[in-house]
Amino acid sequence: MNLGLINYITITLTYIFFHRACKAQGLDRRSFSYFAWFQPYTAYIAFVWMIIVTCVYGYPAYKPWSVSTFWS
């Protein structure tokens, strides 16, 4: 389960960088075939939320700390 959340964190971070690149190049997002209304704000919220969930989801791995139990 934890690995799936890390994949979504990567996807969200990729979108944030994509949005930043489009803004730097002066591209209008409304010219794309798909346009989301609340982006990039929902991407930031989802990114923070998924990091919190990933850290809290593995709470049994914190006592005692072990890298192998954290990733499993």
Side-chain angles (χ1 to χ4, degrees):
M1 180 67 174
N2 211 1
L3 222 46
L5 289 172
I6 293 171
N7 288 337
Y8 278 112
I9 290 170
T10 305
I11 291 168
T12 308
L13 190 61
T14 301
Y15 177 78
I16 291 170
F17 287 146
F18 170 74
H19 182 268
R20 191 180 299 171
C22 288
K23 190 173 179 182
Q25 295 176 12
L27 293 173
D28 185 20
R29 292 184 311 126
R30 295 170 198 251
S31 65
F32 296 143
S33 59
Y34 179 76
F35 174 74
W37 289 349
F38 302 113
Q39 292 292 353
Y41 308 112
T42 53
Y44 290 118
I45 292 168
F47 180 73
V48 171
W49 177 251
M50 285 185 282
I51 287 179
I52 290 170
V53 168
T54 301
C55 291
V56 173
Y57 184 73
Y59 70 92
Y62 296 129
K63 294 181 185 178
W65 173 252
S66 172
V67 175
S68 63
T69 57
F70 179 76
W71 290 108
S72 65

Coordinates of all heavy atoms in Angstrom, one line a residue:
M1 N 0.8 -1.2 0.0 CA 0.0 0.0 0.0 C 0.9 1.3 0.0 O 0.6 2.2 -0.7 CB -0.9 0.0 1.2 CG -1.8 1.1 1.4 SD -3.0 1.1 0.0 CE -4.0 2.5 0.5
N2 N 1.9 1.2 0.8 CA 2.8 2.4 0.9 C 3.4 2.7 -0.5 O 3.6 3.9 -0.8 CB 3.9 2.1 1.9 CG 4.3 3.4 2.6 OD1 3.8 4.5 2.4 ND2 5.2 3.2 3.5
L3 N 3.8 1.7 -1.3 CA 4.4 2.0 -2.6 C 3.4 2.6 -3.5 O 3.8 3.5 -4.3 CB 4.9 0.6 -3.1 CG 6.3 0.7 -3.8 CD1 7.3 1.4 -3.0 CD2 6.7 -0.7 -4.1
G4 N 2.2 2.3 -3.5 CA 1.2 2.9 -4.3 C 1.0 4.4 -4.0 O 0.9 5.2 -4.9
L5 N 1.1 4.8 -2.7 CA 1.0 6.2 -2.3 C 2.2 6.9 -2.8 O 2.1 8.1 -3.3 CB 0.9 6.3 -0.8 CG -0.4 5.9 -0.2 CD1 -0.3 5.9 1.3 CD2 -1.5 6.8 -0.7
I6 N 3.4 6.3 -2.8 CA 4.6 6.9 -3.3 C 4.5 7.2 -4.8 O 5.0 8.2 -5.3 CB 5.9 6.1 -2.9 CG1 6.0 6.1 -1.4 CG2 7.1 6.6 -3.6 CD1 7.1 5.2 -0.8
N7 N 3.9 6.2 -5.5 CA 3.7 6.4 -6.9 C 2.8 7.7 -7.2 O 3.1 8.5 -8.1 CB 3.0 5.2 -7.6 CG 4.0 4.1 -7.7 OD1 5.2 4.3 -7.7 ND2 3.5 2.9 -7.7
Y8 N 1.7 7.8 -6.4 CA 0.9 9.0 -6.6 C 1.6 10.3 -6.2 O 1.3 11.3 -6.8 CB -0.4 8.8 -5.8 CG -1.4 8.0 -6.6 CD1 -1.8 6.7 -6.1 CD2 -2.0 8.4 -7.7 CE1 -2.7 5.9 -6.8 CE2 -2.9 7.7 -8.5 CZ -3.2 6.4 -8.0 OH -4.1 5.6 -8.7
I9 N 2.4 10.2 -5.2 CA 3.2 11.4 -4.8 C 4.1 11.8 -6.0 O 4.2 13.0 -6.4 CB 4.1 11.1 -3.6 CG1 3.2 11.0 -2.4 CG2 5.2 12.2 -3.4 CD1 3.9 10.5 -1.1
T10 N 4.7 10.8 -6.7 CA 5.5 11.1 -7.9 C 4.7 11.7 -9.0 O 5.1 12.6 -9.7 CB 6.2 9.8 -8.3 OG1 7.0 9.3 -7.2 CG2 7.2 10.1 -9.5
I11 N 3.5 11.2 -9.2 CA 2.6 11.7 -10.3 C 2.2 13.1 -10.0 O 2.2 14.0 -10.9 CB 1.4 10.8 -10.4 CG1 1.8 9.4 -11.0 CG2 0.3 11.4 -11.3 CD1 0.7 8.4 -10.9
T12 N 1.9 13.4 -8.8 CA 1.5 14.7 -8.4 C 2.6 15.7 -8.5 O 2.5 16.8 -9.0 CB 0.9 14.7 -6.9 OG1 0.0 13.7 -6.8 CG2 0.4 16.1 -6.6
L13 N 3.8 15.3 -8.1 CA 5.0 16.2 -8.2 C 5.3 16.4 -9.7 O 5.7 17.5 -10.1 CB 6.2 15.5 -7.5 CG 7.4 16.4 -7.3 CD1 7.1 17.6 -6.5 CD2 8.5 15.6 -6.7
T14 N 5.2 15.4 -10.5 CA 5.4 15.6 -12.0 C 4.4 16.6 -12.5 O 4.8 17.5 -13.3 CB 5.2 14.2 -12.7 OG1 6.2 13.3 -12.1 CG2 5.5 14.4 -14.2
Y15 N 3.2 16.6 -12.1 CA 2.2 17.5 -12.6 C 2.5 18.9 -12.1 O 2.4 19.9 -12.9 CB 0.8 17.2 -12.2 CG -0.2 18.3 -12.6 CD1 -0.6 18.3 -14.0 CD2 -0.6 19.3 -11.8 CE1 -1.4 19.4 -14.4 CE2 -1.3 20.4 -12.3 CZ -1.8 20.4 -13.6 OH -2.5 21.4 -14.0
I16 N 3.0 19.1 -10.9 CA 3.4 20.4 -10.4 C 4.5 21.0 -11.2 O 4.5 22.2 -11.6 CB 3.7 20.3 -8.9 CG1 2.5 20.0 -8.1 CG2 4.4 21.6 -8.4 CD1 2.8 19.7 -6.6
F17 N 5.5 20.1 -11.6 CA 6.6 20.6 -12.4 C 6.1 20.9 -13.8 O 6.6 21.9 -14.4 CB 7.8 19.6 -12.4 CG 8.5 19.5 -11.1 CD1 9.1 18.3 -10.7 CD2 8.7 20.6 -10.4 CE1 9.8 18.2 -9.5 CE2 9.5 20.6 -9.2 CZ 10.0 19.4 -8.8
F18 N 5.2 20.1 -14.3 CA 4.7 20.4 -15.7 C 3.9 21.7 -15.7 O 4.1 22.5 -16.6 CB 3.7 19.2 -16.1 CG 2.9 19.5 -17.3 CD1 3.5 19.5 -18.5 CD2 1.6 19.8 -17.2 CE1 2.8 19.7 -19.7 CE2 0.8 20.1 -18.3 CZ 1.4 20.0 -19.6
H19 N 3.1 22.0 -14.7 CA 2.4 23.2 -14.6 C 3.4 24.4 -14.5 O 3.2 25.4 -15.2 CB 1.5 23.2 -13.4 CG 0.7 24.5 -13.3 ND1 1.1 25.5 -12.6 CD2 -0.5 24.8 -13.8 CE1 0.2 26.5 -12.7 NE2 -0.8 26.1 -13.4
R20 N 4.4 24.2 -13.7 CA 5.4 25.3 -13.6 C 6.1 25.5 -14.9 O 6.4 26.7 -15.3 CB 6.4 24.9 -12.5 CG 7.4 26.0 -12.1 CD 8.3 25.6 -11.1 NE 7.7 25.2 -9.9 CZ 8.2 24.6 -8.9 NH1 9.5 24.3 -8.9 NH2 7.6 24.2 -7.8
A21 N 6.4 24.5 -15.7 CA 7.1 24.6 -17.0 C 6.1 25.3 -18.0 O 6.6 26.2 -18.8 CB 7.5 23.3 -17.5
C22 N 4.9 25.0 -18.0 CA 3.9 25.6 -18.9 C 3.8 27.1 -18.6 O 3.7 27.9 -19.5 CB 2.5 25.0 -18.7 SG 2.4 23.3 -19.5
K23 N 3.8 27.4 -17.3 CA 3.7 28.8 -16.9 C 5.0 29.6 -17.3 O 4.9 30.7 -17.7 CB 3.5 28.9 -15.3 CG 3.2 30.2 -14.8 CD 2.8 30.2 -13.3 CE 2.5 31.5 -12.8 NZ 2.2 31.5 -11.4
A24 N 6.1 29.0 -17.2 CA 7.4 29.6 -17.5 C 7.5 29.9 -19.0 O 8.1 30.8 -19.5 CB 8.6 28.8 -17.1
Q25 N 6.8 29.0 -19.8 CA 6.9 29.1 -21.3 C 5.7 30.0 -21.8 O 5.6 30.2 -23.0 CB 6.9 27.7 -21.9 CG 8.1 27.0 -21.6 CD 8.1 25.6 -22.2 OE1 7.2 25.3 -23.0 NE2 9.0 24.7 -21.8
G26 N 4.8 30.4 -21.0 CA 3.7 31.2 -21.4 C 2.6 30.4 -22.1 O 1.8 31.0 -22.8
L27 N 2.5 29.1 -21.8 CA 1.4 28.3 -22.4 C 0.1 28.5 -21.6 O 0.1 28.5 -20.4 CB 1.8 26.9 -22.5 CG 2.9 26.5 -23.4 CD1 3.3 25.0 -23.2 CD2 2.5 26.7 -24.8
D28 N -1.0 28.7 -22.3 CA -2.3 28.8 -21.7 C -2.8 27.4 -21.5 O -3.0 26.6 -22.5 CB -3.2 29.6 -22.5 CG -4.6 29.8 -21.8 OD1 -4.6 29.7 -20.5 OD2 -5.5 30.2 -22.5
R29 N -3.1 27.0 -20.3 CA -3.7 25.7 -20.0 C -5.0 25.4 -20.7 O -5.4 24.3 -20.9 CB -3.8 25.4 -18.5 CG -2.4 25.4 -17.8 CD -2.6 25.0 -16.3 NE -3.5 25.8 -15.6 CZ -4.5 25.3 -14.9 NH1 -4.7 24.0 -14.8 NH2 -5.4 26.1 -14.3
R30 N -5.7 26.5 -20.9 CA -7.1 26.3 -21.6 C -7.0 25.8 -23.0 O -7.9 25.4 -23.6 CB -7.9 27.6 -21.5 CG -8.2 27.9 -20.0 CD -8.8 29.3 -19.9 NE -8.7 29.7 -18.5 CZ -9.7 29.9 -17.7 NH1 -10.9 29.6 -18.2 NH2 -9.6 30.3 -16.5
S31 N -5.8 25.9 -23.6 CA -5.6 25.5 -25.0 C -5.4 24.0 -25.0 O -5.4 23.4 -26.1 CB -4.4 26.2 -25.6 OG -3.2 25.8 -24.9
F32 N -5.2 23.3 -23.9 CA -5.0 21.8 -23.9 C -6.4 21.2 -24.0 O -7.4 21.8 -23.8 CB -4.3 21.4 -22.6 CG -2.9 21.9 -22.5 CD1 -2.4 22.2 -21.2 CD2 -2.1 22.0 -23.5 CE1 -1.2 22.7 -21.1 CE2 -0.8 22.4 -23.4 CZ -0.3 22.8 -22.1
S33 N -6.4 19.9 -24.4 CA -7.6 19.2 -24.6 C -8.4 19.0 -23.3 O -9.6 18.8 -23.2 CB -7.4 17.9 -25.3 OG -6.5 17.1 -24.6
Y34 N -7.6 18.9 -22.2 CA -8.2 18.7 -20.9 C -7.8 19.9 -20.0 O -6.6 20.2 -19.9 CB -7.8 17.4 -20.2 CG -8.4 17.2 -18.9 CD1 -9.7 16.9 -18.7 CD2 -7.6 17.4 -17.7 CE1 -10.3 16.7 -17.5 CE2 -8.2 17.2 -16.5 CZ -9.5 16.9 -16.3 OH -10.1 16.7 -15.1
F35 N -8.8 20.5 -19.3 CA -8.5 21.6 -18.4 C -9.2 21.4 -17.1 O -10.4 21.2 -17.0 CB -9.0 22.9 -19.0 CG -8.9 24.1 -18.2 CD1 -7.7 24.7 -17.9 CD2 -10.0 24.6 -17.6 CE1 -7.5 25.8 -17.1 CE2 -9.9 25.7 -16.7 CZ -8.7 26.3 -16.5
A36 N -8.4 21.4 -16.0 CA -9.0 21.2 -14.6 C -9.1 22.5 -14.0 O -8.1 23.3 -14.0 CB -8.1 20.3 -13.8
W37 N -10.2 22.8 -13.4 CA -10.4 24.1 -12.8 C -9.6 24.5 -11.6 O -9.1 25.6 -11.6 CB -11.9 24.2 -12.4 CG -12.9 24.3 -13.5 CD1 -12.6 24.4 -14.8 CD2 -14.3 24.1 -13.4 NE1 -13.7 24.4 -15.6 CE2 -14.8 24.2 -14.7 CE3 -15.1 23.9 -12.4 CZ2 -16.1 24.1 -15.0 CZ3 -16.5 23.9 -12.6 CH2 -17.0 24.0 -13.9
F38 N -9.4 23.6 -10.7 CA -8.7 24.0 -9.5 C -7.2 23.6 -9.4 O -6.6 23.6 -8.4 CB -9.4 23.3 -8.3 CG -10.9 23.7 -8.2 CD1 -11.9 22.8 -8.4 CD2 -11.2 25.0 -7.9 CE1 -13.2 23.2 -8.3 CE2 -12.5 25.4 -7.9 CZ -13.5 24.5 -8.1
Q39 N -6.6 23.4 -10.6 CA -5.2 23.1 -10.6 C -4.5 24.4 -10.7 O -4.9 25.3 -11.3 CB -4.9 22.2 -11.9 CG -5.4 20.8 -11.8 CD -4.8 20.0 -10.7 OE1 -3.8 20.4 -10.0 NE2 -5.4 18.8 -10.5
P40 N -3.3 24.5 -10.1 CA -2.5 23.5 -9.5 C -2.7 23.4 -8.0 O -2.0 22.6 -7.3 CB -1.1 24.1 -9.7 CG -1.2 25.5 -9.6 CD -2.6 25.8 -10.2
Y41 N -3.7 24.1 -7.5 CA -3.9 24.1 -6.0 C -4.3 22.7 -5.5 O -3.8 22.3 -4.4 CB -5.0 25.1 -5.7 CG -4.7 26.5 -6.3 CD1 -5.5 27.0 -7.3 CD2 -3.6 27.2 -5.8 CE1 -5.2 28.2 -7.8 CE2 -3.3 28.4 -6.4 CZ -4.2 28.9 -7.4 OH -3.9 30.1 -7.9
T42 N -5.1 22.0 -6.2 CA -5.4 20.6 -5.7 C -4.2 19.7 -5.8 O -4.1 18.8 -5.0 CB -6.6 20.0 -6.5 OG1 -6.3 20.1 -7.9 CG2 -7.9 20.8 -6.2
A43 N -3.3 20.0 -6.7 CA -2.1 19.2 -6.8 C -1.2 19.4 -5.6 O -0.7 18.4 -5.0 CB -1.3 19.5 -8.1
Y44 N -1.1 20.6 -5.1 CA -0.4 20.9 -3.9 C -1.0 20.3 -2.7 O -0.3 19.7 -1.9 CB -0.3 22.4 -3.7 CG 0.6 23.1 -4.7 CD1 0.1 24.1 -5.5 CD2 2.0 22.8 -4.8 CE1 1.0 24.7 -6.4 CE2 2.8 23.4 -5.7 CZ 2.3 24.4 -6.5 OH 3.1 25.0 -7.4
I45 N -2.3 20.4 -2.6 CA -3.1 19.8 -1.5 C -2.9 18.3 -1.5 O -2.6 17.7 -0.4 CB -4.6 20.2 -1.5 CG1 -4.7 21.7 -1.2 CG2 -5.4 19.4 -0.5 CD1 -6.1 22.3 -1.5
A46 N -3.1 17.7 -2.7 CA -2.9 16.2 -2.7 C -1.5 15.8 -2.4 O -1.3 14.7 -1.8 CB -3.3 15.7 -4.1
F47 N -0.5 16.5 -2.9 CA 0.9 16.2 -2.6 C 1.2 16.2 -1.1 O 1.7 15.2 -0.5 CB 1.8 17.2 -3.3 CG 3.3 17.0 -3.1 CD1 3.9 15.9 -3.7 CD2 4.0 17.8 -2.3 CE1 5.2 15.7 -3.5 CE2 5.3 17.6 -2.1 CZ 6.0 16.5 -2.7
V48 N 0.7 17.2 -0.4 CA 0.9 17.3 1.1 C 0.2 16.2 1.8 O 0.7 15.5 2.7 CB 0.6 18.7 1.6 CG1 0.6 18.7 3.1 CG2 1.5 19.8 1.0
W49 N -1.1 16.0 1.4 CA -1.9 15.0 2.0 C -1.3 13.6 1.9 O -1.3 12.8 2.8 CB -3.3 15.1 1.4 CG -4.2 14.0 2.0 CD1 -4.7 12.9 1.3 CD2 -4.7 13.9 3.3 NE1 -5.5 12.1 2.2 CE2 -5.5 12.8 3.4 CE3 -4.6 14.7 4.4 CZ2 -6.1 12.4 4.6 CZ3 -5.2 14.3 5.6 CH2 -6.0 13.2 5.7
M50 N -0.9 13.3 0.7 CA -0.3 11.9 0.5 C 1.0 11.7 1.2 O 1.3 10.6 1.7 CB -0.1 11.7 -1.0 CG -1.5 11.4 -1.7 SD -1.3 10.9 -3.4 CE -1.0 12.5 -4.2
I51 N 1.8 12.8 1.4 CA 3.0 12.6 2.2 C 2.6 12.4 3.7 O 3.2 11.5 4.3 CB 3.9 13.9 2.1 CG1 4.6 13.8 0.7 CG2 4.9 13.9 3.2 CD1 5.5 15.0 0.4
I52 N 1.6 13.1 4.1 CA 1.1 12.9 5.5 C 0.6 11.5 5.7 O 0.9 10.8 6.7 CB 0.1 13.9 5.9 CG1 0.7 15.3 6.0 CG2 -0.6 13.5 7.2 CD1 -0.3 16.4 6.2
V53 N -0.2 11.0 4.8 CA -0.8 9.7 4.8 C 0.4 8.6 4.8 O 0.3 7.6 5.5 CB -1.8 9.4 3.7 CG1 -2.2 8.0 3.6 CG2 -3.0 10.3 4.0
T54 N 1.3 8.8 3.9 CA 2.5 7.9 3.8 C 3.2 7.8 5.1 O 3.6 6.7 5.6 CB 3.4 8.3 2.7 OG1 2.7 8.3 1.5 CG2 4.5 7.3 2.6
C55 N 3.5 8.9 5.8 CA 4.2 8.9 7.0 C 3.3 8.3 8.2 O 3.9 7.5 9.0 CB 4.6 10.3 7.4 SG 5.9 11.0 6.3
V56 N 2.1 8.6 8.2 CA 1.2 8.1 9.3 C 0.8 6.6 9.1 O 0.7 5.9 10.0 CB -0.1 9.0 9.4 CG1 -1.1 8.4 10.4 CG2 0.4 10.4 9.8
Y57 N 0.7 6.2 7.8 CA 0.3 4.9 7.5 C 1.3 3.9 8.1 O 1.0 2.8 8.4 CB 0.2 4.7 6.0 CG -0.3 3.4 5.6 CD1 -1.6 3.0 5.8 CD2 0.5 2.4 5.0 CE1 -2.1 1.8 5.4 CE2 0.1 1.2 4.6 CZ -1.3 0.9 4.8 OH -1.7 -0.3 4.4
G58 N 2.6 4.2 8.1 CA 3.6 3.3 8.6 C 4.0 3.5 10.0 O 5.1 3.2 10.4
Y59 N 3.0 4.0 10.8 CA 3.3 4.3 12.2 C 3.9 3.1 13.0 O 4.7 3.3 13.9 CB 2.1 4.9 12.9 CG 1.0 4.0 13.2 CD1 0.9 3.3 14.4 CD2 0.0 3.9 12.3 CE1 -0.2 2.5 14.6 CE2 -1.1 3.0 12.5 CZ -1.2 2.3 13.7 OH -2.2 1.5 13.9
P60 N 3.5 1.8 12.8 CA 4.1 0.8 13.6 C 5.6 0.6 13.3 O 6.3 0.1 14.1 CB 3.4 -0.5 13.2 CG 2.1 0.0 12.5 CD 2.4 1.3 12.0
A61 N 6.1 1.1 12.2 CA 7.5 0.9 11.8 C 8.4 1.9 12.6 O 9.6 1.8 12.6 CB 7.7 1.2 10.3
Y62 N 7.8 2.9 13.3 CA 8.6 3.9 14.0 C 9.1 3.4 15.4 O 10.0 3.9 15.9 CB 7.8 5.2 14.2 CG 7.4 5.9 12.9 CD1 6.1 6.2 12.7 CD2 8.4 6.1 12.0 CE1 5.8 6.9 11.5 CE2 8.1 6.8 10.8 CZ 6.8 7.1 10.6 OH 6.4 7.8 9.4
K63 N 8.5 2.3 15.9 CA 8.9 1.8 17.2 C 9.1 0.3 17.1 O 8.2 -0.4 16.9 CB 7.8 2.0 18.2 CG 7.5 3.5 18.6 CD 6.5 3.6 19.6 CE 6.1 5.0 19.9 NZ 5.1 5.1 20.9
P64 N 10.2 -0.2 17.2 CA 11.5 0.4 17.0 C 11.8 0.7 15.6 O 11.3 0.0 14.7 CB 12.5 -0.6 17.6 CG 11.9 -1.9 17.3 CD 10.4 -1.6 17.5
W65 N 12.6 1.7 15.3 CA 12.8 2.1 13.9 C 13.5 1.0 13.1 O 14.6 0.5 13.5 CB 13.6 3.4 13.8 CG 13.9 3.8 12.4 CD1 15.2 3.7 11.9 CD2 13.1 4.2 11.4 NE1 15.1 4.1 10.6 CE2 13.9 4.4 10.3 CE3 11.7 4.4 11.3 CZ2 13.3 4.8 9.1 CZ3 11.2 4.9 10.1 CH2 12.0 5.1 9.0
S66 N 13.0 0.7 12.0 CA 13.6 -0.3 11.1 C 13.3 0.1 9.6 O 12.1 0.3 9.3 CB 13.2 -1.7 11.3 OG 13.7 -2.6 10.4
V67 N 14.3 0.2 8.8 CA 14.0 0.6 7.4 C 13.2 -0.5 6.7 O 12.3 -0.2 5.9 CB 15.3 0.9 6.7 CG1 15.1 1.2 5.2 CG2 16.1 2.1 7.3
S68 N 13.5 -1.7 6.9 CA 12.8 -2.8 6.2 C 11.3 -2.9 6.6 O 10.5 -3.1 5.8 CB 13.5 -4.1 6.5 OG 13.4 -4.4 7.9
T69 N 11.0 -2.6 7.9 CA 9.6 -2.6 8.3 C 8.8 -1.4 7.8 O 7.7 -1.4 7.5 CB 9.4 -2.8 9.8 OG1 10.1 -1.7 10.4 CG2 9.9 -4.1 10.3
F70 N 9.6 -0.3 7.7 CA 8.9 0.9 7.1 C 8.5 0.7 5.7 O 7.4 1.1 5.3 CB 9.9 2.1 7.3 CG 9.3 3.4 6.7 CD1 8.3 4.1 7.4 CD2 9.6 3.9 5.5 CE1 7.7 5.2 7.0 CE2 9.1 5.0 5.0 CZ 8.1 5.7 5.7
W71 N 9.3 0.1 4.9 CA 9.0 -0.1 3.4 C 8.1 -1.2 3.2 O 7.6 -1.4 2.1 CB 10.3 -0.1 2.6 CG 11.0 1.2 2.6 CD1 12.1 1.5 3.2 CD2 10.6 2.3 1.9 NE1 12.4 2.8 2.9 CE2 11.5 3.4 2.1 CE3 9.5 2.6 1.1 CZ2 11.4 4.6 1.6 CZ3 9.4 3.9 0.5 CH2 10.3 4.9 0.8
S72 N 7.9 -2.1 4.1 CA 7.0 -3.2 3.9 C 5.7 -3.0 4.6 O 4.7 -2.8 4.4 CB 7.6 -4.5 4.5 OG 7.7 -4.4 5.9

